[in-house]
Structure formats: structure tokens, C-alpha cells
Amino acid sequence: MHINNILVVGSGAMGSQIGLVASLAGYATTIHDIAAEPLAAAREQIASRLDSSVAKGRLSRPDADAALARLSFTTSLEEGAAGADLVIEAATERLDVKRAIFAALDAAAQPHAILATNSSTLGSSKVAGSTSRPGKVCNMHFFNPALVMKCVEVVRHPGTSQETLDTVMELARRLGKAPVLINHEIPGFVANRLMGAIRDEALRLYAEGIATFEDIDTAAKTALGHPMGPFELMDLVGLDVSYLIRQATFAETGDPADLPHPALTEMYERGDYGRKTGKGWYRYGEAATAVK
């Protein structure tokens, strides 16, 4: 199956960057959100990113203008889905919301269209039943920041067709990504389970007073070669996202070990989500500093 037109549902940090990745790769791309204000903010941010790439010599002005011209923005899900060959849902990690979106997409999209979720924790089997096309449903999980990170996890559910998997894997390659095929749905998939193991051990070391979180970050970077320490990474991804992922995993497994760490819960309840709020493990302004 050939992909020409892509719809991204959700104009937040992930959705807007996924949309820009697709447009830079030459695809006519529509970004949808339920309100005009976040869409306008997403367009402004995308234009700013393109201008910055031109200023740094990473992109020519004509290529940047062409990428922006390939992007459209809409508050109408029906309008966005009508011409899409593939949809990537990047909405909030709430199953009820995702099910409602997939039911609406199924009604609005052409029969051939593939419906993918960017969810990092919820397997697509949870939403496939809201559609009449379960064989055309899968996960296509990008990593933050989507413009930079190469990995895309493509996760099949038991009913996903081989044609769907082949199409999505090839699309990821055409987007300049390195797709990883995951044959069985498990909470957190592969990369997040690996990162989660490091994050959980880092939180235990910190809670037991073994080392400060700053020194744990330093060890991860200088001994293990990680580009960011686990606490820096939590701030980048968003402590709210990390918290909700753990809650979703616990809801899936029922294992108390999967509940969010108390330190993470405390920060979530305070509204200290990391870079997006200006304060997480570190404070953010002109330079990151540890929160005292």
C-alpha cells in the first residue's frame, strides 16, 4: 500500500513534531486538534523550528518553505481523516479518549486507511475493537523529541495484518527513522521497559540516599555514555507523562511494583512536570539547575 497523505491527531509536542517529520519527508500532512488555539501555537512553533534550521544551515529556505506548505491544520477530525492514507493518533494517554478518537476515525477515514496510535503504553488491541478495521490498526510509537530520535516502535496486536505492518515499517524508513518491530503487546513495549528499569533503579538509589540525583545523572552520562541522565530525561519527557505511564502499566498488570515511585507521585501532585512547567528535578530558565 502506498502512503501519500498523513493525518496526525494531536498538536502537542509529539503530534506537532511527528507532523513536521512527515512533511519534511515529502508527505502532505494534516495536524488536527479540537481547538484552534493549540493548532495556531503548533504552527508557530513549527515555523520557528524551520526558520532555525535554515539559520543554522541545516535546511535550505526553499525546502523549509515547501515543508511548511505541505502542512495543513484543522479542528475537524472528519475533514482531516477524509483524505488520509494513514492516521497517527498522538492524543493523551487515556484509553477512553483514544477509543472515542478511533471510533470517529473509523467512520470518517477511507476503508484503505491505516489507523496507528503513538501510545507508548497502550497496545493497539485496546482501540482496534472501536473500529471495523482491526487488521489496519497498530502502534507506531515515536520517541521524544520526534524530530531527533530515530527509533519508531511498530507494535502488532493479534489481528494486525502483515500488509499493515509492512506499510508502516516502510513508512518509518521513508521518514528517516529506524523501525523496530514488536511482535507481542507488552506494557511499555521495548525501549520504555529498558529506560524504565534504569529510571526505577535511579529513583531507588536516590530515595535510599546513595547519591544525589545530580550525581546519578553524572554517572549515567560519564560512565554509561548516555546523552542524558535518568532524572534529566524524566524532566524532558515530562514527569506527568512518566507518572501516567506507570499508572497505565499498573492498570494493565495489577502489580503494585508497577505503581509510580512515591517521589514521582509527589512531584506529579505538585504540578512539577519538568521542562514544560519550568521545574521538575531541575529548575529551567537560561540554564538548568538542581531544585533545592
Side-chain angles (χ1 to χ4, degrees), residues 17 58 247:
Q17 288 198 38
R58 298 172 181 167
Q247 289 284 22

Side-chain angles (χ1 to χ4, degrees), residues 29-86:
T29 305
T30 301
I31 298 177
H32 164 270
D33 212 306
I34 57 175
E37 185 176 343
L39 278 177
R43 191 187 189 286
E44 182 178 346
Q45 184 181 63
I46 286 171
S48 177
R49 286 182 183 277
L50 289 170
D51 288 343
S52 177
S53 293
V54 171
K56 293 175 181 178
R58 298 172 181 167
L59 195 66
S60 71
R61 184 78 261 172
D63 285 346
D65 291 343
L68 191 59
R70 284 190 289 269
L71 279 167
S72 58
F73 302 82
T74 183
T75 57
S76 170
L77 189 67
E78 292 75 15
E79 177 184 300
D85 300 306
L86 180 137

Side-chain angles (χ1 to χ4, degrees), residues 1 6 37 45 51 64 94 96 129 135 140 145 152 185 215 227 242 249 252 254 260:
M1 175 180 164
I6 294 173
E37 185 176 343
Q45 184 181 63
D51 288 343
R94 284 180 49 190
D96 58 336
M140 189 177 188
V152 171
E185 291 181 331
D215 281 346
S242 296
T249 302
E252 179 86 9

Side-chain angles (χ1 to χ4, degrees), residues 28-242:
T29 305
T30 301
I31 298 177
H32 164 270
D33 212 306
I34 57 175
E37 185 176 343
L39 278 177
R43 191 187 189 286
E44 182 178 346
Q45 184 181 63
I46 286 171
S48 177
R49 286 182 183 277
L50 289 170
D51 288 343
S52 177
S53 293
V54 171
K56 293 175 181 178
R58 298 172 181 167
L59 195 66
S60 71
R61 184 78 261 172
D63 285 346
D65 291 343
L68 191 59
R70 284 190 289 269
L71 279 167
S72 58
F73 302 82
T74 183
T75 57
S76 170
L77 189 67
E78 292 75 15
E79 177 184 300
D85 300 306
L86 180 137
V87 180
I88 303 170
E89 171 270 318
T92 185
E93 289 287 279
R94 284 180 49 190
L95 183 55
D96 58 336
V97 172
K98 291 183 185 296
R99 282 176 170 163
I101 290 172
F102 271 76
L105 288 170
D106 186 53
Q110 295 295 317
H112 72 273
I114 291 171
L115 308 181
T117 175
N118 182 57
S119 177
S120 58
T121 55
L122 298 170
S124 60
S125 63
K126 303 291 188 195
V127 295
S130 299
T131 77
S132 61
R133 63 184 85 194
K136 293 185 176 294
V137 176
C138 69
N139 287 76
M140 189 177 188
H141 174 220
F142 292 76
F143 288 80
N144 187 29
L147 279 166
V148 176
M149 301 296 283
K150 292 292 187 182
C151 184
V152 171
E153 291 178 323
V154 179
V155 189
R156 74 163 88 215
H157 70 81
T160 305
S161 73
Q162 188 62 46
E163 181 186 16
T164 294
L165 292 173
D166 292 344
T167 300
V168 174
M169 292 284 286
E170 179 59 23
L171 173 64
R173 295 185 189 99
R174 290 178 181 273
L175 296 180
K177 303 302 184 184
V180 173
L181 178 61
I182 299 175
N183 288 309
H184 303 284
E185 291 181 331
I186 56 172
F189 310 143
V190 170
N192 276 339
R193 289 173 75 95
L194 295 173
M195 291 190 295
I198 294 172
R199 178 199 61 223
D200 292 348
E201 184 60 23
L203 284 165
R204 278 191 290 270
L205 292 169
Y206 168 71
E208 292 171 9
I210 304 301
T212 65
F213 65 82
E214 303 100 309
D215 281 346
I216 294 170
D217 277 351
T218 298
K221 291 183 287 187
T222 59
L224 305 179
H226 293 187
M228 303 181 75
F231 295 94
E232 292 174 310
L233 183 59
M234 280 187 269
D235 277 0
L236 175 65
V237 171
L239 293 164
D240 56 330
V241 174
S242 296

